[in-house]
Amino acid sequence: QVQLVESGGGLVQAGGSLRLSCAASGRTLSSYAMGWFRQAPGKEREFVAAISWSGGDTDYADSVKGRFTIARDNAKNTVNFQMNSLKPEDTAVYYCAAKRTGWSTIKEERGYDYWGQGTQVTVSS
């Protein structure tokens, strides 16, 4: 069993930055691909970014490419998510998730094995 805990959310003005972290306990994350998803009020949860178990591959939603960066530190069992140039439309609850296999389906939330509880990100205009 893997427990994931997100942190780093908060309120920021448009154009600002936030850095989210996802810490794992119970098992090492080094054999899991990791993803970040978000859910805005009244909308379905959507894929934002992912990183392979080795860190060698990443994938991003078009809406965040060039602004957000995902990285992992397997020695510390954490995944970080740097969000720059934030926009009001980035407002959502952000979730990290761990996926044992299947990089080809990394954008599909149904394939993930473990989820964190989420952290709120609010971007004011």
Side-chain angles (χ1 to χ4, degrees):
Q1 193 78 2
V2 175
Q3 292 80 42
L4 302 174
V5 178
E6 303 95 337
S7 61
L11 173 64
V12 65
Q13 289 188 333
S17 298
L18 281 176
R19 185 170 183 261
L20 305 184
S21 291
C22 177
S25 62
R27 190 174 293 180
T28 179
L29 286 180
S30 61
S31 57
Y32 290 83
M34 298 298 297
W36 284 93
F37 289 75
R38 68 185 181 186
Q39 187 169 21
K43 295 186 177 181
E44 294 186 350
R45 189 156 55 183
E46 65 176 359
F47 170 79
V48 184
I51 188 166
S52 63
W53 67 270
S54 67
D57 293 297
T58 57
D59 200 356
Y60 296 91
D62 289 342
S63 59
V64 307
K65 281 181 181 176
R67 300 189 298 123
F68 294 6
T69 303
I70 188 171
R72 67 188 302 156
D73 186 338
N74 285 339
K76 295 183 178 180
N77 228 23
T78 59
V79 177
N80 297 312
F81 198 40
Q82 180 67 41
M83 305 187 296
N84 299 328
S85 303
L86 283 160
K87 304 175 181 180
E89 52 263 42
D90 294 319
T91 295
V93 177
Y94 284 72
Y95 300 87
C96 71
K99 182 177 174 66
R100 187 69 179 87
T101 59
W103 179 255
S104 63
T105 57
I106 201 69
K107 296 182 179 181
E108 300 176 17
E109 65 173 282
R110 62 184 173 92
Y112 283 77
D113 300 288
Y114 303 103
W115 291 83
Q117 83 289 349
T119 186
Q120 176 70 47
V121 170
T122 303
V123 184
S124 64
S125 58

